[in-house]
Amino acid sequence: MSLEENPFRVGLETERTSAPSVFVIFGASGDLTKRKLLPALYNLAVSRLLPPGFSIVGFSVTELTEEAFREQMHEGISKFSRRKPVDEAVWKDFASRLHYVSGSFGEAANFAKLREKLEELDRKNGTRGNRLYYLAIPPSLFPMVNDQLAKAGLVADPNDASKFSRIIVEKPFGHDLASGDALNADLHRVFAEKQIFRIDHYLGKETVQNLVALRFGNAIFEPIWNRNHIDHVQISVAEDIGVEGRGKFYEEAGTTRDIVQNHLLQLLMVAAMEPPVAFTADEVRDEKVKVLRALKPIVGSDVAKYTVRGQYGPGNYLGKPVPGYRQEENVSPTSNVETFVAMRLELDNWRFAGVPIYIRAGKRLTKRITEISVHFKDVPHALLMQDGSHIEPDVLAIRIQPDEGIGLRFVAKVPGPTMMLRPVTMDFRYGSTFGGSGPEAYERLILDAMHGDPTLFARADEVSAAWNLITPIHQAWAKEPPRPFPNYPAGTWGPKESADLIERDGRAWRRI
Amino acid sequence: MRLSLDQVERELAKLWEQDAHSAGGSRTELMTLVALVSEPRLLERAQTVVSEVVKIHASRTIVAVWRDGDKPSITADVALHRPAGTAAVCGDAITLEAIGTAREWLPGNAERLALPDLPVCVWWVGDLPDYDDLFDRMVVGADVVVVNSGEMDLRDLEKLSSIATRSRGHYALADLTWIRLRTLQDLVARFFDDAEGQACIKDLQRITIEFAPRPDEQDAASTQAGLLFGWIAAVIDLSPEGVQWKRGDGWAEARLGGVSARFEAKARGDVRPGVITRIAFDAGKAHFEIARAEDPRVYTWSRDVPGVATPQHTLRVGAFEEPALLVRCLERPKRDRLLETSLLVGSSIVKSVAPRLTAPPPR
């Protein structure tokens, strides 16, 4: 019998429940665990969404007793949980499910130790061999952990209905097409695709899911969501902070790998995909990947024409001086790494042919904002503007963060005896309409992984298709002489070339 | 300042205009929430609740109250909902006061003041009167109707069941006490999520439900306990026909087929009267139990099924205050078949120990 056969579940809100399992975190003493994973798991416990017997095992190189690990996690939860203060009654129960195994990932003996711990929890807590492995470690260590898990017999057969093993991996999913494919191939050596959950926390955000609701839950948008009505689309992922101590990582990644290859392209996919036949994992991901396949490749001389790179120099943040990228910790003083990128993309498909998609992402920009704006075409005939001036076209803006919401700009008549038109906005704000705070992206995604629902996770072919766009651009950039970086001061909207990229087409970046 | 009804929209428009001028506020509203306050002493409570609800569901709220008086009239107060500490407005507030027979005019006036094109939720604040057609007239055209069986007597479950039957195809009936029960239902369902738990269902022999009685309460169980048992009986297919009751001091026991259900009143000062404090199931050698801890918002959940390891859980239940419950009703404004079935089965089972309802209505 399965959960679905529980007669007490019929008609309840919580029809979706997951089987008891052990959540193993590799890299448990790291920042991600303390800042995101444990607070998310704790909040799931507070919301009573963890199944009975659910246990957590932290695995890391750092020598720690279980007690010390629990203390560290309590500290992390106190600081980073969306619910404060810590509910001590829930914490006491939650802490009793927290365990720790220390050791390097390269030694089989440590995985034997892990296996013993997991078997003990199976006996004690009834977790029945169900495992979720979360790799909160650098991708270079994935193959090692993968191998050790397989050798220790810790990966269940994907077709075994009596138990499950799932692996959750964090970006970056490689650094180019070859390494991305190699990483996928390596994961596939041990895990079937349906056991792999590639997490991109943007997809766990309520507003990204609301974009699906906006497009496919309303009849008024879909008929105009095409080249006949849309002039162009802009997607901005702007951060006002710098690399914040992640200089070493950023030197290897840059904005294109850190933001564009994953978060930004995910937004593009959701904004541009065709309606899936069902809101199920493969149907949704099939449609998303078709968007990436339809992206016109940017290769050769087009790279210089359709892409812009930038790197911030010293400037200001909230009225205080801040260093340039090259002055950041663990960054080369001659670094050629981009902290800003803008591109002009096009989709070669029936719906969007000829509709440019301008994207930009960067650090130390004027403000922190992530937004998709759909700019509609001009009215065909300027009937109402007697002085021949231009009527501002309509814009639908979907704000992903912060201040999540949707705004529609349209024109209205200014009261008075003459026909004067003025753009006005109609604004829907999540916060003031629905109030409260929803679950964090990690809560939603971890819960989905526990349920075995990969709809909001990236599939292998999605990752490859994204690299397929990015890798030729990187290759072309690598052949160019070093750029005259820095080329924009911190606290501005990026280099001038970014404005030129869009102005060349007679358009401008939206003021956001 | 009391306004006549023709001034209401005009005054509200002014307030919105002032807000747009000073704060550049945008206006988004999700529904009209009409609170019918069955007794004047509940007015303040109703106003507090709706002002909390609009923080989550920005709405127009109409709180209607009636008082005795010779000159029939309805007057109104208007304001904007602006939660303390924020600049953002989250709806407008109308308070209607009907004097004397003007109470009969409330349905039409509430409908006239409802926002166009948005759902209307009618919340009946307090105990449902036995024979009063205001309720029936108010729910015409409503999308959601919210009541609270926790404020009713056990005998009212039957009345509520017939309201639920009449609501089909017209509006979604929601019960705040039923919403409060959802956590317990989920915890009960957890006992039987795995095959070992499910195997015990056929062996169920005894169900114990403990509840905190209302002062001077003589009913065999609280409405919450009756409703929960109605749900359990419906799930495991226990027929209410032929139910046999035994009663003692502070307890009542129903026997249906091979299952006995014992309701025990256990006084407890730190919880609301009527709420359930413990549920236990016995099935062969297996025992399942949910009990409120010392902290009334904390439950311990335990299961003892031979041969299956299941650790005890400590769980915190969410905010069960009225605004939170009302918000949850509004989040899923659709027909709740489970509530209908549980009311039907539960009211049939408790009918014989809630005899007042079987008396003919006064003429």
Side-chain angles (χ1 to χ4, degrees):
Chain A
M1 277 208 239
S2 64
L3 295 180
E4 293 74 33
E5 291 173 58
N6 179 356
F8 283 93
R9 286 271 167 223
V10 178
L12 289 192
E13 271 181 3
T14 45
E15 276 180 278
R16 204 173 73 139
T17 57
S18 52
S21 56
V22 187
F23 194 89
V24 184
I25 305 171
F26 292 92
S29 57
D31 227 28
L32 182 71
T33 306
K34 204 161 70 175
R35 280 174 177 268
K36 295 287 181 191
L37 302 184
L38 261 291
L41 288 163
Y42 162 78
N43 278 308
L44 291 174
V46 175
S47 307
R48 301 179 305 278
L49 291 168
L50 297 181
F54 180 83
S55 309
I56 299 162
V57 176
F59 187 177
S60 193
V61 182
T62 314
E63 281 284 343
L64 279 177
T65 62
E66 281 196 340
E67 223 24 70
F69 178 61
R70 286 173 187 151
E71 267 171 41
Q72 273 190 9
M73 294 306 117
H74 186 274
E75 192 188 310
I77 290 166
S78 310
K79 210 165 159 187
F80 301 111
S81 165
R82 69 186 165 92
R83 287 184 173 113
K84 291 188 180 86
V86 175
D87 182 327
E88 291 304 329
V90 175
W91 165 255
K92 204 174 153 197
D93 186 84
F94 184 75
S96 72
R97 290 152 210 287
L98 271 178
H99 306 272
Y100 189 76
V101 172
S102 63
S104 74
F105 301 139
E107 286 173 44
N110 295 328
F111 280 76
K113 220 161 58 177
L114 175 67
R115 188 190 166 115
E116 258 172 51
K117 176 58 96 180
L118 296 176
E119 286 171 350
E120 179 197 324
L121 291 171
D122 285 344
R123 284 191 301 274
K124 210 171 97 193
N125 292 347
T127 42
R128 304 162 192 234
N130 295 325
R131 324 271 186 240
L132 286 122
Y133 300 115
Y134 200 110
L135 304 192
I137 49 174
S140 54
L141 296 174
F142 289 3
M144 187 190 284
V145 171
N146 234 3
D147 282 343
Q148 296 287 10
L149 285 171
K151 278 183 200 156
L154 286 170
V155 182
D157 184 321
N159 299 315
D160 183 347
S162 68
K163 59 184 172 185
F164 64 77
S165 297
R166 297 177 190 137
I167 191 161
I168 308 171
V169 292
E170 276 276 343
K171 76 173 181 76
F173 311 124
H175 59 271
D176 58 15
L177 180 60
S179 62
D181 284 350
L183 188 69
N184 279 333
D186 196 70
L187 287 168
H188 287 149
R189 273 193 304 112
V190 176
F191 292 93
E193 180 61 26
K194 69 175 181 182
Q195 295 175 297
I196 303 169
F197 292 72
R198 296 173 192 83
I199 206 164
D200 184 328
H201 73 272
Y202 259 56
L203 287 177
K205 285 180 184 289
E206 286 285 330
T207 31
V208 176
Q209 292 159 48
N210 192 44
L211 178 53
V212 177
L214 175 87
R215 289 194 56 202
F216 305 127
N218 295 290
I220 59 168
F221 296 113
E222 210 41 33
I224 56 170
W225 210 263
N226 57 49
R227 67 182 191 286
N228 299 323
H229 299 275
I230 295 175
D231 176 73
H232 73 283
V233 176
Q234 297 183 14
I235 305 178
S236 301
V237 181
E239 292 182 79
D240 53 6
I241 55 168
V243 291
E244 303 292 295
R246 292 164 70 221
K248 193 176 165 206
F249 163 78
Y250 224 77
E251 280 288 271
E252 287 177 22
T255 298
T256 316
R257 290 188 179 100
D258 187 36
I259 301 289
V260 178
Q261 189 271 344
N262 36 72
H263 303 327
L264 205 147
L265 289 182
Q266 286 292 346
L267 295 181
L268 172 62
M269 284 186 265
V270 178
M273 71 180 183
E274 292 297 321
V277 291
F279 199 67
T280 52
D282 276 334
E283 278 70 17
V284 171
R285 297 189 298 177
D286 284 348
E287 295 306 334
K288 280 170 60 193
V289 83
K290 280 184 205 165
V291 174
L292 292 184
R293 288 189 191 133
L295 276 171
K296 209 183 261 188
I298 303 178
V299 290
S301 59
D302 280 352
V303 173
K305 198 171 164 191
Y306 296 126
T307 71
V308 171
R309 281 181 289 164
Q311 188 190 82
Y312 63 86
N316 88 91
Y317 172 57
L318 301 174
K320 287 185 182 148
V322 288
Y325 176 70
R326 289 177 177 180
Q327 288 79 49
E328 301 272 14
E329 201 184 332
N330 295 322
V331 170
S332 157
T334 57
S335 174
N336 198 36
V337 166
E338 82 283 1
T339 61
F340 175 93
V341 65
M343 294 182 191
R344 182 190 191 278
L345 305 174
E346 269 191 55
L347 286 166
D348 260 344
N349 65 15
W350 195 271
R351 186 187 283 264
F352 284 110
V355 177
I357 297 160
Y358 301 96
I359 63 168
R360 60 178 166 171
K363 290 207 168 283
R364 283 270 184 245
L365 301 183
T366 309
K367 61 164 103 161
R368 173 179 171 254
I369 190 163
T370 299
E371 185 195 85
I372 302 168
S373 56
V374 179
H375 299 246
F376 291 92
K377 290 193 169 175
D378 283 328
V379 289
H381 173 48
L383 176 72
L384 301 172
M385 298 300 267
Q386 288 156 0
D387 60 358
S389 57
H390 178 239
I391 297 177
E392 291 291 331
D394 303 332
V395 177
L396 181 72
I398 300 124
R399 287 185 305 278
I400 309 295
Q401 65 180 16
D403 194 17
E404 296 87 341
I406 295 164
L408 179 66
R409 188 185 77 176
F410 57 99
V411 291
K413 180 184 174 297
V414 178
T418 55
M419 183 54 85
M420 289 286 292
L421 301 184
R422 210 191 101 174
V424 292
T425 56
M426 199 156 66
D427 224 10
F428 157 73
R429 288 162 197 245
Y430 254 83
S432 56
T433 305
F434 289 109
S437 65
E440 290 268 345
Y442 273 95
E443 289 170 47
R444 168 68 198 259
L445 294 172
I446 288 174
L447 196 61
D448 279 1
M450 281 163 58
H451 290 308
D453 178 358
T455 309
L456 299 179
F457 293 83
R459 207 168 54 186
D461 54 348
E462 251 176 270
V463 175
S464 291
W467 281 126
N468 221 12
L469 173 80
I470 300 299
T471 302
I473 296 172
H474 269 132
Q475 286 167 344
W477 283 349
K479 285 180 195 155
E480 286 177 10
R483 309 291 296 167
F485 285 162
N487 59 353
Y488 71 96
T492 65
W493 280 116
K496 185 185 169 296
E497 291 87 338
S498 163
D500 296 343
L501 175 83
I502 188 166
E503 282 168 12
R504 220 165 42 212
D505 294 343
R507 301 181 178 101
W509 289 111
R510 184 176 129 80
R511 184 179 297 125
I512 52 178
Chain B
M1 187 180 68
R2 304 300 305 179
L3 302 170
S4 62
L5 292 182
D6 62 327
Q7 293 174 294
V8 169
E9 291 290 7
R10 205 165 48 233
E11 284 303 312
L12 283 172
K14 265 191 219 166
L15 293 173
W16 280 107
E17 203 179 317
Q18 281 165 10
D19 177 67
H21 201 65
S22 60
S26 57
R27 180 173 178 173
T28 315
E29 284 168 301
L30 300 173
M31 63 173 173
T32 303
L33 171 59
V34 184
L36 293 169
V37 185
S38 63
E39 297 173 66
R41 68 179 176 88
L42 301 175
L43 175 62
E44 200 181 321
R45 181 180 122 198
Q47 283 174 322
T48 308
V49 170
V50 298
S51 63
E52 287 297 311
V53 170
V54 294
K55 288 181 190 170
I56 313 289
H57 284 265
S59 309
R60 165 167 289 185
T61 63
I62 302 172
V63 177
V65 65
W66 46 89
R67 299 176 200 280
D68 291 336
D70 294 332
K71 279 190 174 175
S73 69
I74 301 179
T75 52
D77 261 337
V78 297
L80 296 184
H81 285 290
R82 193 190 304 273
T86 66
V89 168
C90 49
D92 43 26
I94 304 168
T95 305
L96 298 179
E97 187 182 61
I99 303 294
T101 54
R103 177 180 184 270
E104 302 304 314
W105 308 336
L106 281 171
N109 283 292
E111 191 184 344
R112 200 170 61 80
L113 293 169
L115 292 170
D117 264 349
L118 286 174
V120 173
C121 167
V122 173
W123 170 37
W124 186 276
V125 188
D127 190 6
L128 266 185
D130 282 347
Y131 309 104
D132 183 340
D133 74 345
L134 182 66
F135 178 84
D136 290 335
R137 290 177 56 217
M138 281 303 301
V139 301
V140 174
D143 298 277
V144 187
V145 174
V146 182
V147 295
N148 187 0
S149 64
E151 295 188 74
M152 303 174 193
D153 297 322
L154 196 56
R155 67 196 174 110
D156 292 325
L157 286 186
E158 192 179 1
K159 179 167 64 186
L160 213 47
S161 177
S162 83
I163 291 173
T165 306
R166 289 204 306 272
S167 73
R168 286 179 201 159
H170 300 287
Y171 56 84
L173 179 72
D175 172 17
L176 298 183
T177 294
W178 176 251
I179 302 289
R180 195 174 264 138
L181 274 177
R182 282 186 182 162
T183 306
L184 277 178
Q185 291 174 314
D186 177 53
L187 295 183
V188 168
R190 279 178 192 215
F191 289 140
F192 310 107
D193 273 338
D194 56 8
E196 292 83 352
Q198 284 159 27
C200 296
I201 295 175
K202 63 176 182 0
D203 300 325
L204 268 179
Q205 301 149 322
R206 188 177 182 80
I207 300 162
T208 307
I209 302 178
E210 290 176 8
F211 63 97
R214 287 195 278 202
D216 308 320
E217 177 69 70
Q218 298 300 314
D219 280 351
S222 67
T223 47
Q224 193 176 111
L227 202 49
L228 183 78
F229 184 61
W231 170 66
I232 294 168
V235 169
I236 58 178
D237 216 12
L238 291 178
S239 168
E241 278 180 31
V243 58
Q244 292 177 320
W245 281 91
K246 279 195 293 185
R247 289 189 71 170
D249 189 18
W251 63 271
E253 195 168 302
R255 187 144 195 95
L256 296 97
V259 178
S260 72
R262 188 178 171 89
F263 298 89
E264 283 189 35
K266 289 271 167 87
R268 194 168 158 167
D270 56 356
V271 295
R272 276 192 185 79
V275 306
I276 294 164
T277 53
R278 182 174 160 267
I279 309 162
F281 294 81
D282 289 289
K285 288 181 179 167
H287 180 76
F288 308 82
E289 185 167 317
I290 300 158
R292 279 188 199 247
E294 215 168 279
D295 176 345
R297 283 211 176 160
V298 173
Y299 284 107
T300 54
W301 178 99
S302 58
R303 189 178 87 150
D304 184 7
V305 176
V308 184
T310 318
Q312 181 179 293
H313 258 246
T314 306
L315 303 123
R316 164 87 54 190
V317 292
F320 277 172
E321 302 307 320
E322 261 180 325
L325 294 172
L326 202 50
V327 164
R328 288 187 67 184
C329 289
L330 302 172
E331 278 168 357
R332 295 190 175 202
K334 59 176 188 186
R335 183 180 163 194
D336 188 339
R337 289 166 201 271
L338 206 55
L339 170 62
E340 287 174 22
T341 311
S342 306
L343 275 170
L344 188 67
V345 177
S347 64
S348 307
I349 292 170
V350 301
K351 197 170 166 179
S352 58
V353 287
R356 278 172 291 167
L357 196 67
T358 58
R363 297 286 173 196

